[in-house]
Amino acid sequence: MKAPRLAFAALFAACFMSVAAFAADPSGNWKWSVDFNGQSFESSARLDVKEGKLTGTLTSPMGEVPITEGSFKDGVVAFVLALERDGDKFVIKYQGKLEGDAITGSIDFPGFNGGEPMKLDWKATRVKEEKKPDEPAKSK
């Protein structure tokens, strides 16, 4: 009698852990604000995860930039933005822990114009997608 109960408990635990793993998914739309040199800059991103690889596009006042070197493992989101400005190439690195509908971590900026590299706090929030009402059936 104990064996079937034990097997059921193991099956239940495996199913519960699988649901938890699917629940912790950064796929979706995100937004955040970064304060830099006394100014606030709004950014957003569309993230997608497939087999641990994070992809997407970041949108900021400077335009849209594809995410590179993206990963999602053990609840940690990480990606790089490879940018070019005035002929100079540089990278910005994002890393944060996914907890529910928030990603909290840091952004590593290179030193600009001979300045020191900077690390800024980063907190992104998931944008809830509004469900569109069902369209009425078209009559013929």
Side-chain angles (χ1 to χ4, degrees), residues 26-42:
S27 294
N29 293 312
W30 296 84
K31 67 178 181 175
W32 61 91
S33 179
V34 174
D35 293 326
F36 182 73
N37 286 339
Q39 294 182 319
S40 182
F41 296 95
E42 300 289 322

Side-chain angles (χ1 to χ4, degrees), residues 1-108:
M1 191 85 172
K2 285 186 178 182
R5 285 184 185 173
L6 187 58
F8 177 75
L11 179 63
F12 178 78
C15 290
F16 181 75
M17 289 171 51
S18 295
V19 169
F22 284 113
D25 183 350
S27 294
N29 293 312
W30 296 84
K31 67 178 181 175
W32 61 91
S33 179
V34 174
D35 293 326
F36 182 73
N37 286 339
Q39 294 182 319
S40 182
F41 296 95
E42 300 289 322
S43 296
S44 62
R46 169 70 192 163
L47 304 178
D48 293 298
V49 176
K50 186 174 183 181
E51 298 173 4
K53 181 158 175 63
L54 183 78
T55 61
T57 303
L58 182 133
T59 303
S60 74
M62 295 176 64
E64 289 188 357
V65 180
I67 290 169
T68 62
E69 300 178 38
S71 65
F72 179 64
K73 184 176 180 182
D74 298 328
V76 175
V77 173
F79 59 89
V80 170
L81 301 178
L83 303 167
E84 185 173 335
R85 181 177 173 196
D86 299 327
D88 294 327
K89 294 181 181 183
F90 58 95
V91 297
I92 299 174
K93 297 178 182 180
Y94 284 75
Q95 182 169 340
K97 180 77 173 170
L98 174 66
E99 294 177 344
D101 287 332
I103 302 171
T104 305
S106 61
I107 308 170
D108 291 325

